[in-house]
Amino acid sequence: MTDSAPVDGEPTVPTPTTAPADAPEAPPATLWDRMRDDPQYAPEHLALEAVRRLGPEAAQWAARERSERPDVPGDELADQAVRRFVNRARLSGAVSGAAGLPGAVIDVGVLAWTQARLVLHVAAAYGVDPVHPDRATDLLVLQRVHKVAESARIALGVAAGRERAGVLFGMAGERPLGKVMLQLGVRLAQMAGMRAAKRVVAKVVPGAAIILGTWANSSATKELAERARALYRNGPDGLPRQRRP
């Protein structure tokens, strides 16, 4: 498990190693820091980090499955990945254990991270390279942060440049944490699916969580899985030309 999201002014608390094996994992603490410093481009930062961290994991998983079952069809591997990560998505609404806006932001961040993991595993299931930089573009389009690949690619370039600038110079100025968290929550909810925005409300408004259930997470993730299948089902040759390896 990765570290949990740091609370402002407090040290990062590692996720307990006794957590259930199939429990959803939170984004790494370094990514939370980056997204909190630059919430406008939080989805782009998440997509870039997902390809860096989760792409190799997806590639290794697909290679291992094919070595054990050489004739396994891509559809069967994709089914396996979808079942695994939809189940994790159902659990992601209660990962933080925190109430209010901070808990809501963590929950939708965990959901977006789980969904990115699903997309990269589906790509690997169909023989599409999950570590290729274009997978970050795919994530943003599939998760409907951007409508077209061109705008996603431009935004990724901006986020990458801001990431490098942040490492060199730090973030200029301080903003109220509440405003930053709200912007971050909205951007991550957009990435995780429109229903995730309702989960933000459920966390912030007392009693609303009773009305909303885990169906919101799993439904949004299932819809994303179908879009990922449609994009990757025909393998690398079926991708738009500008996104082929």
Side-chain angles (χ1 to χ4, degrees):
M1 299 286 285
T2 53
D3 292 345
S4 59
V7 178
D8 192 53
E10 296 183 4
T12 298
V13 179
T15 303
T17 56
T18 55
D22 206 39
E25 294 185 13
T30 52
L31 174 59
W32 280 114
D33 289 340
R34 202 176 308 137
M35 293 191 298
R36 187 178 60 183
D37 287 344
D38 192 21
Q40 179 182 354
Y41 286 92
E44 288 78 11
H45 289 302
L46 190 147
L48 289 167
E49 189 71 12
V51 173
R52 285 194 291 255
R53 285 182 178 256
L54 305 180
E57 169 195 296
Q60 292 166 10
W61 165 78
R64 183 173 62 252
E65 291 293 326
R66 289 194 176 94
S67 69
E68 296 174 355
R69 299 181 291 162
D71 297 328
V72 63
D75 281 332
E76 185 174 330
L77 283 182
D79 287 341
Q80 182 179 332
V82 170
R83 285 194 301 270
R84 176 183 175 190
F85 293 111
V86 167
N87 286 336
R88 290 192 182 189
R90 288 194 184 99
L91 301 173
S92 64
V95 166
S96 70
L101 183 57
V105 173
I106 294 172
D107 286 350
V108 293
V110 170
L111 178 57
W113 188 249
T114 300
Q115 290 178 342
R117 185 178 251 119
L118 179 148
V119 169
L120 295 172
H121 276 69
V122 169
Y126 289 115
V128 175
D129 183 4
V131 303
H132 193 282
D134 279 347
R135 299 294 80 77
T137 300
D138 294 346
L139 283 171
L140 294 176
V141 175
L142 287 169
Q143 292 179 288
R144 295 178 172 172
V145 177
H146 294 276
K147 292 182 179 180
V148 296
E150 182 65 23
S151 63
R153 197 172 290 111
I154 292 171
L156 286 166
V158 173
R162 290 163 75 95
E163 178 182 339
R164 290 190 293 270
V167 170
L168 291 174
F169 308 113
M171 298 303 295
E174 294 291 336
R175 290 163 293 171
L177 181 60
K179 183 176 181 180
V180 169
M181 293 295 284
L182 181 59
Q183 185 180 10
L184 178 55
V186 169
R187 293 293 285 152
L188 290 175
Q190 178 188 7
M191 188 177 197
M194 292 305 295
R195 290 184 180 90
K198 296 181 180 179
R199 182 162 295 282
V200 174
V201 175
K203 274 279 192 174
V204 175
V205 180
I210 299 174
I211 302 172
L212 297 173
T214 56
W215 65 269
N217 287 1
S218 60
S219 178
T221 306
K222 286 177 182 177
E223 292 172 4
L224 173 65
E226 288 307 308
R227 295 195 295 272
R229 285 177 178 274
L231 177 62
Y232 297 130
R233 180 169 281 123
N234 294 322
D237 292 339
L239 292 175
R241 184 170 299 277
Q242 68 271 23
R243 282 188 272 175
R244 295 181 189 177

